[in-house]
Amino acid sequence: MALKETNWRLLDTGHRPGPENMAVDEAIAMAHGRGEVPPTLRFYGWDPPAVSIGYFQSMLEEVDLDAVRAGGYGYVRRPTGGRLIFHHMELTYSVVVREDLMPGGVIETYREISRGLLAGMEELGVPAELSGGDRDPRRADPDGFHTACFDTASAYELQIGGRKVAGSAQTRRDGVILQHGSILLDIDVPLLFRLMRFPEGVAAERLMARFRSKSTTLAEALGRKVSWAEARDAFARGFARGLGLTLTPGQLTAAEEKDARVLVGSKYGCDNWNMKK
């Protein structure tokens, strides 16, 4: 797929609370849809670490909020689908581009964006590959229950030796694609599972074993720690090479910052969004 616009903005917005991160992604999409900013690749982190759930999930059913609050962590509902993620030791990316500049359906654009992610893995020396294009993320395990985002690879997501290392989700609104995803630098599996709720009768220990067998991290793949900055730089180079982009470092505009503050106060920081069923 040939992109119709290869001059993109590159953002590093640092580490922010969960509601701010989701608000900034949406604010960028709004500004791009208005023609105020170019297509944008953004990298960010989470401070404090936070649990996010997919748009169609229930916070009260999926998340142990007492454990989240006791640990000083945050929580937020994403505007995209998918399952629970604990954003802790990871690099998060988002891509915002108009549909007319990256034509195709969800699977086609997943595949295109994954070219950048795969090239980023190559920059780090990680032998990653893409999952098949026919994986249905709704497939359940034998218990009929998914643990978290990284226990199953959907179409065109990154794997190392058949184990998922990056998970992504996409939404489209007013002709604009927003895709964001998590790239695992490392993971504390017991901590993740302490923040989750499980249906009665489901054994957490067995699900943790399954999770470990289905997921991996850059630290495990490389046998060393990978810093957030090292990963950011590698994936910026990867997106530029893999998608043929010219990335120009920039900053959020005043309008984007204002829209993000409004979205935190009216949406992502509010229980009527985060707790809705």
Side-chain angles (χ1 to χ4, degrees), residues 11 16 32 61 146 159 205 217 220 241 271:
L11 295 180
R16 300 181 181 221
H32 181 54
E61 292 178 1
H146 280 303
Q159 297 178 303
E205 293 79 9
T217 68
E220 184 177 12
R241 178 166 58 87
D271 280 353

Side-chain angles (χ1 to χ4, degrees), residues 1-24:
M1 180 191 301
L3 296 181
K4 295 184 178 181
E5 174 57 69
T6 58
N7 294 307
W8 287 31
R9 178 178 57 161
L10 175 64
L11 295 180
D12 171 358
T13 55
H15 290 63
R16 300 181 181 221
E20 283 190 31
N21 276 331
M22 295 299 93
V24 169

Side-chain angles (χ1 to χ4, degrees), residues 4-62:
K4 295 184 178 181
E5 174 57 69
T6 58
N7 294 307
W8 287 31
R9 178 178 57 161
L10 175 64
L11 295 180
D12 171 358
T13 55
H15 290 63
R16 300 181 181 221
E20 283 190 31
N21 276 331
M22 295 299 93
V24 169
D25 273 352
E26 184 170 339
I28 294 170
M30 292 165 58
H32 181 54
R34 295 191 298 260
E36 298 171 356
V37 298
T40 297
L41 170 64
R42 174 189 175 216
F43 294 110
Y44 57 97
W46 302 67
D47 185 15
V51 173
S52 78
I53 60 168
Y55 177 81
F56 298 102
Q57 290 187 298
S58 165
M59 186 74 72
L60 296 178
E61 292 178 1
E62 302 287 343

